Amino acid sequence: MNAFRAALCAALFLVCGPGCGPVPAAAQDVTLYSRDGTIEIGGTLLGYDGEFYRVETIYGEITVDGSGVLCEGVGCPNLDTFVAEVGISGSATMGRVLMPALLEAFAAREGYDIRREQVEESYVLYSLSDRRSGEDVARFHFHVTNTDEGFADLLADEADIVMSLREIRRDEARLASEAGLGDLESANRSRVVALDAMVPIVSPTNPVHEITVLQLAQVLAGRIDNWEKLGGPDAPITVRLRDSASGLAQAVEDRVLAPARLPLRVDVERHPDNLSLAEAVAGDLLSLGVASYSDIGNARALTIGGACDFSLRAERRTIKTEDYPLTAPMFLYLPARRLPKLAREFLRFTRSDPAQIVIRRAGFVDQAPEEIPLDMQGDRLANAVTVAGAGSPEAELYRLVRTLRPMARLSISYRFESGATRLDAQSRSNVQQLAREIEAGTYDNRTLVFVGFSDGQGPHEANQAIAERRAAAVMEAVRTAAETADFSRLEMSSDAFGEAMPMACDDTSWGRQTNRRVEVWLR
């Protein structure tokens, strides 16, 4: 039986694997014949994407190249009137503004007309049609709710793509794997389409202007419950967040509270969307909220500071480089399932230069690589001088400036999961992004230097060694991912400066994790 199945695969260009999904209710029996009539496959049609049939057979689930077979049976699709159907579910922040803007730009670029239909409050249908014939070629079904619902729809086979403002959680990844959707924690199963940030906000009349991440965690947990402890009036703090199923609110718990090992206070005021959250905070002197960078309304953002005089504001460049400590990647999660050709073309478009312009116009931070000269990084250098202690020799700061002065920093950073050597989800996406740029020849005749940094715990020699190993590991990951690159056209090397340029205070586990990073510099 195995030999026969192998023969079928060779003859019909079959691709078998997990992630094809459960059998839909409308599935019907079909028979696929090779064009010379020598081989036939019977089974239940699971789907057709315009190029490939997906069939449940006695040999298991297989995918067959439609160009090599003829289909017979009541379940066979009409090849002349095929319309690609794509389900996208999840974050309202992404689904109401960002993704529709990208889809409209894609349609315009490819010469399609696009229609929008508000089917239900949380369900929007976008139909793409051929301008000459007027016939639909694709329908994108947007279920615009929250990140939790997005992953639930994926598991229920009601979505093909999840929009998420947080990383997938372990239980969600486990359930997806059990459902045959592949390893959604792997690098090729998610991508960062844009960047947002979690920004602590207050009323414009509030006298407080700065907060540390630890203080923010303590406020969210109720350990700090009076503005006087933050330098404000003697009055209680009202905490406002998005609804509990929102990816932004969950990212706050994962990225701010969890590292401090603190629970969220029970009396948090919840809001269904970013606008109502920002309006409520702006109108209440005693409120503190955590909002999306793209939508703080009339509220005022607090600067993130530190006990070591570290200070950074949420700005486009600091978010793009991930120097701002609460950067929030906007993820698309893709199961191990073949999407229709037009959907794959749309996903490729989201990484293009025109798409980055759309992202910026929509109010989010794009992923287009930028080169930042050393003289435009005053805040970073000031923090380095201010924060550096006895453990970071002055000679190392001198070497850093002397080495990096003739170079420019690339707006891509790499950080690691807490307590692990594995890159975090955004950094894994960044590996693929930089690899694509190298393959495209963007950095031909240039030198890429991967520069490692560490936290300030322990002796300088040990920190330097760890930073060197991390820089070399990231460089090798990018080299491996750039499979079609001609490395004779550019140079790649690694260097490290230990704890010489911290981005946060080392007095918290979160701060130490932030400082453990690899940057890319260009010459």
Side-chain angles (χ1 to χ4, degrees), residues 344-365:
R344 300 197 305 272
E345 290 173 349
F346 168 61
L347 290 174
R348 281 195 294 272
F349 170 78
T350 64
R351 287 173 160 169
S352 67
D353 290 340
Q356 306 313 306
I357 297 173
V358 173
I359 291 168
R360 290 197 294 270
R361 288 177 176 172
F364 300 96
V365 179

Side-chain angles (χ1 to χ4, degrees), residues 195-211:
L195 296 175
D196 202 349
M198 297 172 282
V199 181
I201 58 172
V202 296
S203 165
T205 58
N206 192 304
V208 175
H209 289 269
E210 185 173 290
I211 192 170

